[in-house]
Amino acid sequence: MSSAPFLVDIGLNLAHDSFDHDRDAVIARAEQVGVKRMVITGSSLVSTEIAISFVRASPQRFRCTAGVHPHHATELTFDAASRLAALTTAPEVVAVGECGLDYFRDLSPRDAQRAAFERQLQLGADCGKPVFLHQRDAHEDFVAILRSWRPRLAGGVAHCFTGSLEEARAYLDLDLHIGITGWICDERRGLHLREVVKHIPAERLLIETDAPYLLPRNLQPRPASRRNEPMYLPHVLGAIAQSRGDSAEQLAAITTRNALELFRWPA
Ligand SMILES: [Zn+2]
């Protein structure tokens, strides 16, 4: 397997408890198919602290983000925000987030989501690291907030992008990167993405699994478990390359370079 291209999974929730019983095997399987570096998503203070501990144990393989998902926006009290501020400055942390707005599930009130989002954009501006962004069914509010902060931010990625071409263009106009997951493999919900990815400049593309979520629906044979793993990242890459008419090898090289540049992770 030494010829497998070197890939970076820029978003996986490795602190998730579904990995507790076999996390080392999950990582070994990913490495075998070329997924040699991974950015672990921090989506709460607790998961951020766990993610940092994973990076410390394996710094050649991991980096992480530090943030509070919009679902948990009400947890970002004044005290929690100052703890998060300290975490964002850790050397293991390469981005602030995931942060943003999720009006699809509305698990936190929308005003709390907007406040937590802006608080984290401020942290991104303060620490000078890019932001790792989550948005669902909230595009207009999200872009309006982001547009006002963008001049102070060191870049960012619209992670798990599932939107329309217009939404993609709005992010590209803000000079952001766009992260594509196995959503593109979904024959019910992801077909439009196969068109949208043709219009994203290669130097703005990033790839991610968002594991354990979003298992690609067209894996053959179908895995016994519905849990997604970073070893399926080459499958996501292949779907994007096929949609764009690119070679998977070239797209691997470009997306890996994009990830290492955005997150300032020396090759
Ligand atoms: Zn997300």
Short mmCIF file of all heavy atoms in Angstrom, two decimals, residues 61-126:
data_model
loop_
_atom_site.label_atom_id
_atom_site.label_comp_id
_atom_site.label_asym_id
_atom_site.label_seq_id
_atom_site.Cartn_x
_atom_site.Cartn_y
_atom_site.Cartn_z
N ARG A 61 1.03 12.70 13.62
CA ARG A 61 -0.16 12.26 12.90
C ARG A 61 -1.33 13.22 13.02
O ARG A 61 -2.14 13.33 12.10
CB ARG A 61 -0.55 10.91 13.49
CG ARG A 61 -1.60 10.16 12.76
CD ARG A 61 -1.93 8.89 13.52
NE ARG A 61 -1.00 7.80 13.27
CZ ARG A 61 -0.48 7.03 14.23
NH1 ARG A 61 -0.75 7.24 15.50
NH2 ARG A 61 0.33 6.04 13.92
N PHE A 62 -1.43 13.89 14.17
CA PHE A 62 -2.64 14.66 14.46
C PHE A 62 -2.39 16.13 14.71
O PHE A 62 -1.34 16.52 15.23
CB PHE A 62 -3.32 14.12 15.74
CG PHE A 62 -3.82 12.71 15.67
CD1 PHE A 62 -3.55 11.84 16.71
CD2 PHE A 62 -4.55 12.25 14.58
CE1 PHE A 62 -4.00 10.52 16.68
CE2 PHE A 62 -5.01 10.94 14.54
CZ PHE A 62 -4.74 10.07 15.59
N ARG A 63 -3.41 16.93 14.38
CA ARG A 63 -3.64 18.27 14.92
C ARG A 63 -5.12 18.31 15.27
O ARG A 63 -5.86 17.38 14.94
CB ARG A 63 -3.30 19.37 13.91
CG ARG A 63 -1.83 19.46 13.55
CD ARG A 63 -0.98 19.96 14.73
NE ARG A 63 0.43 20.12 14.35
CZ ARG A 63 1.34 19.15 14.36
NH1 ARG A 63 1.01 17.93 14.74
NH2 ARG A 63 2.59 19.39 14.00
N CYS A 64 -5.54 19.40 15.91
CA CYS A 64 -6.98 19.47 16.24
C CYS A 64 -7.48 20.90 16.16
O CYS A 64 -6.69 21.86 16.04
CB CYS A 64 -7.24 18.88 17.62
SG CYS A 64 -6.59 19.84 18.98
N THR A 65 -8.80 21.02 16.23
CA THR A 65 -9.44 22.34 16.32
C THR A 65 -9.94 22.50 17.75
O THR A 65 -10.04 21.52 18.51
CB THR A 65 -10.62 22.46 15.35
OG1 THR A 65 -11.72 21.64 15.81
CG2 THR A 65 -10.23 22.04 13.93
N ALA A 66 -10.24 23.75 18.11
CA ALA A 66 -10.78 24.04 19.45
C ALA A 66 -12.02 24.89 19.28
O ALA A 66 -11.92 26.02 18.80
CB ALA A 66 -9.73 24.77 20.30
N GLY A 67 -13.17 24.33 19.65
CA GLY A 67 -14.38 25.13 19.47
C GLY A 67 -15.61 24.49 20.06
O GLY A 67 -15.56 23.40 20.64
N VAL A 68 -16.71 25.21 19.90
CA VAL A 68 -18.00 24.78 20.42
C VAL A 68 -19.02 24.81 19.27
O VAL A 68 -19.28 25.86 18.68
CB VAL A 68 -18.46 25.69 21.59
CG1 VAL A 68 -19.88 25.36 22.01
CG2 VAL A 68 -17.50 25.56 22.77
N HIS A 69 -19.52 23.63 18.95
CA HIS A 69 -20.51 23.45 17.88
C HIS A 69 -21.77 24.26 18.20
O HIS A 69 -22.13 24.38 19.37
CB HIS A 69 -20.83 21.95 17.81
CG HIS A 69 -21.60 21.55 16.60
ND1 HIS A 69 -22.94 21.79 16.46
CD2 HIS A 69 -21.22 20.90 15.48
CE1 HIS A 69 -23.36 21.31 15.29
NE2 HIS A 69 -22.32 20.77 14.67
N PRO A 70 -22.44 24.78 17.16
CA PRO A 70 -23.67 25.54 17.43
C PRO A 70 -24.72 24.75 18.23
O PRO A 70 -25.50 25.37 18.98
CB PRO A 70 -24.19 25.91 16.04
CG PRO A 70 -23.37 25.15 15.05
CD PRO A 70 -22.08 24.83 15.73
N HIS A 71 -24.72 23.43 18.14
CA HIS A 71 -25.65 22.66 18.97
C HIS A 71 -25.42 22.92 20.45
O HIS A 71 -26.34 22.83 21.25
CB HIS A 71 -25.47 21.15 18.75
CG HIS A 71 -25.91 20.67 17.40
ND1 HIS A 71 -26.68 21.42 16.55
CD2 HIS A 71 -25.68 19.49 16.77
CE1 HIS A 71 -26.91 20.72 15.44
NE2 HIS A 71 -26.31 19.56 15.54
N HIS A 72 -24.15 23.21 20.80
CA HIS A 72 -23.79 23.40 22.21
C HIS A 72 -23.62 24.88 22.57
O HIS A 72 -22.97 25.20 23.56
CB HIS A 72 -22.48 22.66 22.53
CG HIS A 72 -22.46 21.23 22.09
ND1 HIS A 72 -23.36 20.30 22.56
CD2 HIS A 72 -21.67 20.57 21.22
CE1 HIS A 72 -23.11 19.13 21.98
NE2 HIS A 72 -22.09 19.27 21.17
N ALA A 73 -24.19 25.76 21.74
CA ALA A 73 -23.91 27.20 21.89
C ALA A 73 -24.18 27.71 23.30
O ALA A 73 -23.45 28.57 23.80
CB ALA A 73 -24.73 27.99 20.86
N THR A 74 -25.23 27.19 23.94
CA THR A 74 -25.57 27.72 25.28
C THR A 74 -24.52 27.34 26.31
O THR A 74 -24.48 27.93 27.39
CB THR A 74 -26.95 27.20 25.75
OG1 THR A 74 -26.95 25.77 25.65
CG2 THR A 74 -28.07 27.78 24.89
N GLU A 75 -23.65 26.38 25.98
CA GLU A 75 -22.57 26.01 26.93
C GLU A 75 -21.45 27.05 26.94
O GLU A 75 -20.62 27.05 27.84
CB GLU A 75 -21.96 24.65 26.54
CG GLU A 75 -22.91 23.49 26.72
CD GLU A 75 -22.34 22.20 26.14
OE1 GLU A 75 -21.11 22.10 25.93
OE2 GLU A 75 -23.14 21.27 25.90
N LEU A 76 -21.44 27.91 25.93
CA LEU A 76 -20.32 28.85 25.83
C LEU A 76 -20.62 30.10 26.67
O LEU A 76 -20.85 31.19 26.17
CB LEU A 76 -20.03 29.22 24.37
CG LEU A 76 -18.65 29.84 24.14
CD1 LEU A 76 -17.53 28.89 24.53
CD2 LEU A 76 -18.49 30.27 22.69
N THR A 77 -20.58 29.89 27.98
CA THR A 77 -20.75 30.99 28.93
C THR A 77 -19.47 31.84 28.91
O THR A 77 -18.48 31.49 28.25
CB THR A 77 -20.92 30.41 30.34
OG1 THR A 77 -19.74 29.62 30.63
CG2 THR A 77 -22.16 29.53 30.43
N PHE A 78 -19.52 32.92 29.67
CA PHE A 78 -18.34 33.80 29.74
C PHE A 78 -17.12 33.02 30.23
O PHE A 78 -16.03 33.11 29.66
CB PHE A 78 -18.63 34.98 30.66
CG PHE A 78 -17.55 36.01 30.65
CD1 PHE A 78 -17.46 36.96 29.64
CD2 PHE A 78 -16.59 36.02 31.66
CE1 PHE A 78 -16.45 37.90 29.62
CE2 PHE A 78 -15.56 36.96 31.64
CZ PHE A 78 -15.50 37.90 30.63
N ASP A 79 -17.31 32.21 31.28
CA ASP A 79 -16.20 31.41 31.82
C ASP A 79 -15.70 30.38 30.81
O ASP A 79 -14.49 30.20 30.64
CB ASP A 79 -16.65 30.66 33.09
CG ASP A 79 -16.64 31.57 34.30
OD1 ASP A 79 -16.24 32.75 34.14
OD2 ASP A 79 -17.04 31.10 35.38
N ALA A 80 -16.66 29.71 30.15
CA ALA A 80 -16.27 28.69 29.16
C ALA A 80 -15.51 29.34 28.02
O ALA A 80 -14.54 28.77 27.49
CB ALA A 80 -17.51 27.97 28.64
N ALA A 81 -15.92 30.54 27.64
CA ALA A 81 -15.24 31.23 26.53
C ALA A 81 -13.80 31.57 26.92
O ALA A 81 -12.90 31.50 26.07
CB ALA A 81 -16.00 32.49 26.13
N SER A 82 -13.56 31.90 28.18
CA SER A 82 -12.17 32.21 28.54
C SER A 82 -11.34 30.93 28.61
O SER A 82 -10.15 30.94 28.26
CB SER A 82 -12.07 33.05 29.80
OG SER A 82 -12.64 32.39 30.87
N ARG A 83 -11.97 29.81 29.00
CA ARG A 83 -11.23 28.54 28.94
C ARG A 83 -10.93 28.17 27.49
O ARG A 83 -9.83 27.71 27.16
CB ARG A 83 -12.05 27.41 29.58
CG ARG A 83 -11.98 27.41 31.10
CD ARG A 83 -12.95 26.40 31.70
NE ARG A 83 -12.69 25.02 31.24
CZ ARG A 83 -13.62 24.07 31.20
NH1 ARG A 83 -14.86 24.31 31.56
NH2 ARG A 83 -13.30 22.86 30.79
N LEU A 84 -11.92 28.38 26.62
CA LEU A 84 -11.71 28.07 25.21
C LEU A 84 -10.61 28.96 24.62
O LEU A 84 -9.78 28.49 23.83
CB LEU A 84 -13.02 28.25 24.43
CG LEU A 84 -12.96 27.91 22.94
CD1 LEU A 84 -12.56 26.45 22.71
CD2 LEU A 84 -14.32 28.19 22.27
N ALA A 85 -10.59 30.21 25.03
CA ALA A 85 -9.55 31.13 24.54
C ALA A 85 -8.16 30.57 24.85
O ALA A 85 -7.26 30.61 24.00
CB ALA A 85 -9.73 32.51 25.15
N ALA A 86 -8.00 30.04 26.06
CA ALA A 86 -6.70 29.47 26.43
C ALA A 86 -6.38 28.27 25.56
O ALA A 86 -5.23 28.10 25.11
CB ALA A 86 -6.71 29.09 27.91
N LEU A 87 -7.39 27.42 25.28
CA LEU A 87 -7.15 26.24 24.45
C LEU A 87 -6.76 26.60 23.03
O LEU A 87 -5.94 25.92 22.40
CB LEU A 87 -8.40 25.34 24.43
CG LEU A 87 -8.81 24.72 25.77
CD1 LEU A 87 -10.13 23.95 25.62
CD2 LEU A 87 -7.73 23.80 26.31
N THR A 88 -7.34 27.70 22.50
CA THR A 88 -7.03 28.05 21.10
C THR A 88 -5.56 28.40 20.90
O THR A 88 -5.06 28.32 19.78
CB THR A 88 -7.88 29.24 20.60
OG1 THR A 88 -7.57 30.39 21.37
CG2 THR A 88 -9.35 28.94 20.63
N THR A 89 -4.88 28.78 21.96
CA THR A 89 -3.47 29.16 21.82
C THR A 89 -2.53 27.95 21.93
O THR A 89 -1.33 28.10 21.71
CB THR A 89 -3.06 30.19 22.88
OG1 THR A 89 -3.17 29.59 24.17
CG2 THR A 89 -3.94 31.43 22.81
N ALA A 90 -3.07 26.77 22.25
CA ALA A 90 -2.22 25.57 22.37
C ALA A 90 -1.58 25.24 21.02
O ALA A 90 -2.21 25.41 19.98
CB ALA A 90 -3.05 24.38 22.85
N PRO A 91 -0.33 24.77 21.03
CA PRO A 91 0.33 24.46 19.75
C PRO A 91 -0.32 23.31 18.99
O PRO A 91 -0.17 23.21 17.78
CB PRO A 91 1.77 24.10 20.18
CG PRO A 91 1.69 23.78 21.63
CD PRO A 91 0.55 24.57 22.19
N GLU A 92 -1.07 22.45 19.70
CA GLU A 92 -1.75 21.33 19.05
C GLU A 92 -2.94 21.80 18.21
O GLU A 92 -3.44 21.07 17.35
CB GLU A 92 -2.26 20.34 20.12
CG GLU A 92 -1.18 19.64 20.91
CD GLU A 92 -0.64 20.48 22.07
OE1 GLU A 92 -1.13 21.60 22.32
OE2 GLU A 92 0.32 20.00 22.72
N VAL A 93 -3.42 23.00 18.51
CA VAL A 93 -4.65 23.52 17.88
C VAL A 93 -4.28 24.33 16.65
O VAL A 93 -3.49 25.27 16.72
CB VAL A 93 -5.42 24.39 18.90
CG1 VAL A 93 -6.57 25.13 18.22
CG2 VAL A 93 -5.93 23.53 20.06
N VAL A 94 -4.89 23.95 15.50
CA VAL A 94 -4.57 24.64 14.24
C VAL A 94 -5.73 25.48 13.71
O VAL A 94 -5.58 26.17 12.71
CB VAL A 94 -4.12 23.64 13.15
CG1 VAL A 94 -2.76 23.04 13.50
CG2 VAL A 94 -5.17 22.57 12.91
N ALA A 95 -6.89 25.41 14.37
CA ALA A 95 -8.03 26.22 13.92
C ALA A 95 -9.00 26.40 15.07
O ALA A 95 -9.04 25.58 16.00
CB ALA A 95 -8.74 25.55 12.74
N VAL A 96 -9.81 27.45 14.96
CA VAL A 96 -10.86 27.70 15.95
C VAL A 96 -12.19 27.21 15.36
O VAL A 96 -12.57 27.58 14.25
CB VAL A 96 -10.94 29.20 16.31
CG1 VAL A 96 -12.12 29.45 17.25
CG2 VAL A 96 -9.63 29.66 16.95
N GLY A 97 -12.89 26.38 16.10
CA GLY A 97 -14.16 25.81 15.69
C GLY A 97 -14.18 24.33 16.05
O GLY A 97 -13.23 23.85 16.67
N GLU A 98 -15.23 23.50 15.77
CA GLU A 98 -16.11 23.99 14.79
C GLU A 98 -17.10 24.96 15.42
O GLU A 98 -17.63 24.73 16.51
CB GLU A 98 -16.83 22.87 14.04
CG GLU A 98 -17.75 21.99 14.83
CD GLU A 98 -18.40 20.94 13.92
OE1 GLU A 98 -18.99 21.30 12.88
OE2 GLU A 98 -18.29 19.77 14.26
N CYS A 99 -17.33 26.03 14.66
CA CYS A 99 -18.25 27.06 15.11
C CYS A 99 -19.12 27.46 13.93
O CYS A 99 -18.77 27.23 12.78
CB CYS A 99 -17.48 28.25 15.68
SG CYS A 99 -16.35 29.05 14.52
N GLY A 100 -20.25 28.05 14.24
CA GLY A 100 -21.14 28.46 13.16
C GLY A 100 -22.58 28.46 13.59
O GLY A 100 -22.90 28.71 14.77
N LEU A 101 -23.45 28.17 12.62
CA LEU A 101 -24.90 28.22 12.85
C LEU A 101 -25.54 26.96 12.29
O LEU A 101 -25.19 26.52 11.19
CB LEU A 101 -25.52 29.44 12.17
CG LEU A 101 -24.97 30.82 12.55
CD1 LEU A 101 -25.64 31.90 11.70
CD2 LEU A 101 -25.19 31.10 14.04
N ASP A 102 -26.48 26.38 13.05
CA ASP A 102 -27.23 25.22 12.59
C ASP A 102 -28.70 25.45 12.89
O ASP A 102 -29.17 25.21 14.00
CB ASP A 102 -26.72 23.94 13.26
CG ASP A 102 -27.26 22.69 12.59
OD1 ASP A 102 -28.47 22.66 12.29
OD2 ASP A 102 -26.48 21.76 12.34
N TYR A 103 -29.43 25.96 11.87
CA TYR A 103 -30.86 26.21 12.03
C TYR A 103 -31.68 25.00 11.58
O TYR A 103 -32.90 25.03 11.60
CB TYR A 103 -31.29 27.44 11.21
CG TYR A 103 -30.71 28.77 11.65
CD1 TYR A 103 -30.94 29.92 10.89
CD2 TYR A 103 -29.96 28.90 12.82
CE1 TYR A 103 -30.44 31.16 11.27
CE2 TYR A 103 -29.43 30.13 13.20
CZ TYR A 103 -29.68 31.26 12.42
OH TYR A 103 -29.17 32.48 12.79
N PHE A 104 -30.97 23.94 11.16
CA PHE A 104 -31.68 22.74 10.73
C PHE A 104 -32.20 22.00 11.95
O PHE A 104 -33.37 21.63 12.02
CB PHE A 104 -30.74 21.83 9.91
CG PHE A 104 -31.36 20.54 9.48
CD1 PHE A 104 -32.37 20.50 8.54
CD2 PHE A 104 -30.92 19.33 10.03
CE1 PHE A 104 -32.94 19.29 8.15
CE2 PHE A 104 -31.48 18.12 9.63
CZ PHE A 104 -32.49 18.10 8.69
N ARG A 105 -31.32 21.83 12.92
CA ARG A 105 -31.74 21.11 14.12
C ARG A 105 -32.10 22.04 15.26
O ARG A 105 -32.83 21.64 16.16
CB ARG A 105 -30.66 20.10 14.52
CG ARG A 105 -30.52 19.04 13.41
CD ARG A 105 -29.63 17.92 13.81
NE ARG A 105 -30.14 17.16 14.95
CZ ARG A 105 -29.41 16.30 15.65
NH1 ARG A 105 -28.15 16.12 15.34
NH2 ARG A 105 -29.92 15.66 16.66
N ASP A 106 -31.57 23.28 15.22
CA ASP A 106 -31.95 24.28 16.23
C ASP A 106 -31.84 23.75 17.66
O ASP A 106 -32.71 23.99 18.49
CB ASP A 106 -33.39 24.78 15.98
CG ASP A 106 -33.43 25.96 15.01
OD1 ASP A 106 -32.44 26.72 14.95
OD2 ASP A 106 -34.46 26.13 14.34
N LEU A 107 -30.76 23.05 17.95
CA LEU A 107 -30.64 22.48 19.29
C LEU A 107 -30.30 23.54 20.34
O LEU A 107 -30.47 23.32 21.53
CB LEU A 107 -29.58 21.36 19.31
CG LEU A 107 -29.95 20.11 18.52
CD1 LEU A 107 -28.92 19.01 18.73
CD2 LEU A 107 -31.34 19.60 18.85
N SER A 108 -29.78 24.69 19.90
CA SER A 108 -29.63 25.84 20.78
C SER A 108 -30.42 26.99 20.16
O SER A 108 -30.57 27.04 18.93
CB SER A 108 -28.16 26.28 20.89
OG SER A 108 -27.45 25.45 21.78
N PRO A 109 -30.94 27.92 20.99
CA PRO A 109 -31.67 29.06 20.43
C PRO A 109 -30.78 29.84 19.45
O PRO A 109 -29.57 29.93 19.64
CB PRO A 109 -32.00 29.91 21.65
CG PRO A 109 -31.86 29.01 22.83
CD PRO A 109 -30.86 27.96 22.45
N ARG A 110 -31.41 30.41 18.43
CA ARG A 110 -30.62 31.04 17.38
C ARG A 110 -29.82 32.24 17.86
O ARG A 110 -28.70 32.47 17.38
CB ARG A 110 -31.53 31.42 16.20
CG ARG A 110 -32.08 30.18 15.52
CD ARG A 110 -32.96 30.49 14.33
NE ARG A 110 -33.40 29.23 13.71
CZ ARG A 110 -34.15 29.15 12.62
NH1 ARG A 110 -34.56 30.26 12.02
NH2 ARG A 110 -34.48 27.98 12.12
N ASP A 111 -30.36 33.01 18.80
CA ASP A 111 -29.58 34.15 19.27
C ASP A 111 -28.34 33.67 20.03
O ASP A 111 -27.25 34.26 19.93
CB ASP A 111 -30.42 35.14 20.10
CG ASP A 111 -31.10 34.48 21.28
OD1 ASP A 111 -31.16 33.22 21.33
OD2 ASP A 111 -31.57 35.21 22.16
N ALA A 112 -28.47 32.55 20.76
CA ALA A 112 -27.31 31.97 21.45
C ALA A 112 -26.29 31.45 20.43
O ALA A 112 -25.08 31.59 20.62
CB ALA A 112 -27.75 30.85 22.39
N GLN A 113 -26.79 30.87 19.35
CA GLN A 113 -25.88 30.37 18.30
C GLN A 113 -25.08 31.53 17.69
O GLN A 113 -23.87 31.42 17.50
CB GLN A 113 -26.66 29.68 17.18
CG GLN A 113 -27.30 28.37 17.59
CD GLN A 113 -27.82 27.61 16.37
OE1 GLN A 113 -27.22 27.62 15.31
NE2 GLN A 113 -28.95 26.94 16.54
N ARG A 114 -25.78 32.63 17.39
CA ARG A 114 -25.09 33.76 16.77
C ARG A 114 -24.05 34.35 17.73
O ARG A 114 -22.94 34.70 17.33
CB ARG A 114 -26.10 34.82 16.33
CG ARG A 114 -26.92 34.38 15.11
CD ARG A 114 -27.79 35.50 14.57
NE ARG A 114 -28.92 35.79 15.44
CZ ARG A 114 -30.16 35.27 15.28
NH1 ARG A 114 -30.41 34.45 14.28
NH2 ARG A 114 -31.12 35.59 16.12
N ALA A 115 -24.41 34.43 19.00
CA ALA A 115 -23.47 34.99 19.99
C ALA A 115 -22.24 34.09 20.12
O ALA A 115 -21.09 34.57 20.17
CB ALA A 115 -24.17 35.16 21.34
N ALA A 116 -22.46 32.77 20.20
CA ALA A 116 -21.33 31.84 20.34
C ALA A 116 -20.46 31.86 19.09
O ALA A 116 -19.23 31.75 19.18
CB ALA A 116 -21.85 30.42 20.61
N PHE A 117 -21.09 32.01 17.94
CA PHE A 117 -20.34 32.07 16.69
C PHE A 117 -19.43 33.30 16.69
O PHE A 117 -18.22 33.20 16.44
CB PHE A 117 -21.34 32.11 15.52
CG PHE A 117 -20.72 32.10 14.15
CD1 PHE A 117 -19.48 31.49 13.91
CD2 PHE A 117 -21.40 32.67 13.08
CE1 PHE A 117 -18.94 31.48 12.62
CE2 PHE A 117 -20.86 32.66 11.80
CZ PHE A 117 -19.63 32.08 11.58
N GLU A 118 -20.00 34.46 17.01
CA GLU A 118 -19.19 35.69 16.98
C GLU A 118 -18.09 35.65 18.03
O GLU A 118 -16.97 36.14 17.80
CB GLU A 118 -20.08 36.91 17.17
CG GLU A 118 -21.04 37.08 16.00
CD GLU A 118 -21.30 38.53 15.65
OE1 GLU A 118 -20.32 39.25 15.34
OE2 GLU A 118 -22.47 38.93 15.69
N ARG A 119 -18.41 35.06 19.18
CA ARG A 119 -17.38 34.95 20.22
C ARG A 119 -16.19 34.13 19.71
O ARG A 119 -15.03 34.46 19.97
CB ARG A 119 -18.01 34.27 21.44
CG ARG A 119 -17.32 34.57 22.73
CD ARG A 119 -18.22 34.20 23.91
NE ARG A 119 -19.07 35.29 24.33
CZ ARG A 119 -20.13 35.16 25.14
NH1 ARG A 119 -20.49 33.96 25.57
NH2 ARG A 119 -20.84 36.20 25.48
N GLN A 120 -16.47 33.08 18.95
CA GLN A 120 -15.39 32.24 18.44
C GLN A 120 -14.66 32.89 17.26
O GLN A 120 -13.46 32.70 17.09
CB GLN A 120 -15.93 30.85 18.09
CG GLN A 120 -16.35 30.10 19.36
CD GLN A 120 -16.94 28.74 19.08
OE1 GLN A 120 -16.22 27.77 18.92
NE2 GLN A 120 -18.27 28.67 19.03
N LEU A 121 -15.39 33.67 16.47
CA LEU A 121 -14.69 34.42 15.41
C LEU A 121 -13.72 35.41 16.04
O LEU A 121 -12.60 35.62 15.54
CB LEU A 121 -15.70 35.12 14.50
CG LEU A 121 -16.59 34.18 13.68
CD1 LEU A 121 -17.66 34.98 12.92
CD2 LEU A 121 -15.77 33.34 12.71
N GLN A 122 -14.15 36.00 17.17
CA GLN A 122 -13.24 36.89 17.90
C GLN A 122 -12.00 36.12 18.36
O GLN A 122 -10.87 36.62 18.23
CB GLN A 122 -13.97 37.48 19.11
CG GLN A 122 -13.08 38.32 20.02
CD GLN A 122 -12.77 39.69 19.42
OE1 GLN A 122 -13.69 40.47 19.17
NE2 GLN A 122 -11.50 39.98 19.17
N LEU A 123 -12.19 34.90 18.86
CA LEU A 123 -11.04 34.09 19.29
C LEU A 123 -10.12 33.78 18.11
O LEU A 123 -8.90 33.79 18.25
CB LEU A 123 -11.50 32.78 19.94
CG LEU A 123 -12.27 32.90 21.26
CD1 LEU A 123 -12.63 31.51 21.79
CD2 LEU A 123 -11.47 33.67 22.29
N GLY A 124 -10.72 33.50 16.96
CA GLY A 124 -9.92 33.25 15.76
C GLY A 124 -9.10 34.47 15.39
O GLY A 124 -7.91 34.36 15.06
N ALA A 125 -9.74 35.62 15.45
CA ALA A 125 -9.02 36.87 15.15
C ALA A 125 -7.90 37.08 16.16
O ALA A 125 -6.78 37.48 15.80
CB ALA A 125 -9.99 38.05 15.16
N ASP A 126 -8.18 36.79 17.43
CA ASP A 126 -7.18 37.02 18.49
C ASP A 126 -5.96 36.11 18.35
O ASP A 126 -4.83 36.54 18.54
CB ASP A 126 -7.80 36.79 19.88
CG ASP A 126 -8.81 37.87 20.26
OD1 ASP A 126 -8.84 38.92 19.58
OD2 ASP A 126 -9.57 37.64 21.21
#
